[in-house]
Amino acid sequence: MSKIAIKISPNDALHTYIVSLRKYTGLGITDIKNKIENEDCFAEVDANDIDDMQNLKGLVDNLLKLGVKVKLFERDEYGDGIFDYQEISHQEFMNHMNRLEEIMEELQDYDDALVDTST
């Protein structure tokens, strides 16, 4: 299963985005500060779960709007770098989101067609 996570580069303006991180992760302020200082991953989500990915996209967009330097990482436990995160670009993240949304739409269309033929 593929996972997507983010890392945040430390800066002096933590107070501007700590509320967003706290709201999204449910972590305490100390835990958030420690993760940022240790360059740990935040918000690891299943890359195939459309709801989780949309929530992560909302967080990333909000952080970028606040001027936070966000790095995106993908982990594919069946890939070459087993269990290791590899950095991906924002464009790759958006392409993955678009592809996932297209698949979900196609599945919905297929389900609708099945319902139409059974009635």
Side-chain angles (χ1 to χ4, degrees):
M1 172 178 12
S2 208
K3 298 274 189 185
I4 303 280
I6 63 171
K7 289 185 182 181
I8 297 171
S9 297
N11 68 25
D12 295 333
L14 178 65
H15 66 280
T16 61
Y17 57 88
I18 194 131
V19 172
S20 296
L21 289 173
R22 192 157 188 253
K23 186 177 186 181
Y24 183 88
T25 65
L27 295 172
I29 293 172
T30 303
D31 292 332
I32 291 171
K33 286 181 180 180
N34 288 338
K35 282 188 171 284
I36 292 171
E37 289 170 3
N38 296 327
E39 296 183 16
D40 290 338
C41 288
F42 278 94
E44 181 182 69
V45 299
D46 179 351
N48 296 317
D49 185 316
I50 188 74
D51 294 329
D52 285 349
M53 288 291 289
Q54 287 173 335
N55 288 336
L56 182 62
K57 180 186 178 301
L59 175 64
V60 168
D61 290 347
N62 186 36
L63 292 172
L64 290 173
K65 187 170 64 176
L66 293 170
V68 179
K69 185 174 180 187
V70 178
K71 292 183 181 180
L72 296 150
F73 292 87
E74 182 175 33
R75 179 181 84 180
D76 185 0
E77 63 187 57
Y78 302 110
D80 291 336
I82 193 159
F83 300 113
D84 289 335
Y85 279 107
Q86 294 188 1
E87 188 171 358
I88 59 172
S89 69
H90 188 264
Q91 185 61 47
E92 288 173 304
F93 175 69
M94 293 306 297
N95 289 346
H96 182 84
M97 281 291 305
N98 293 337
R99 191 170 48 249
L100 190 56
E101 288 170 349
E102 288 173 4
I103 290 169
M104 296 307 290
E105 287 174 12
E106 288 175 11
L107 287 173
Q108 185 62 49
D109 291 345
Y110 180 74
D111 286 345
D112 292 345
L114 284 176
V115 168
D116 289 344
T117 60
S118 66
T119 55

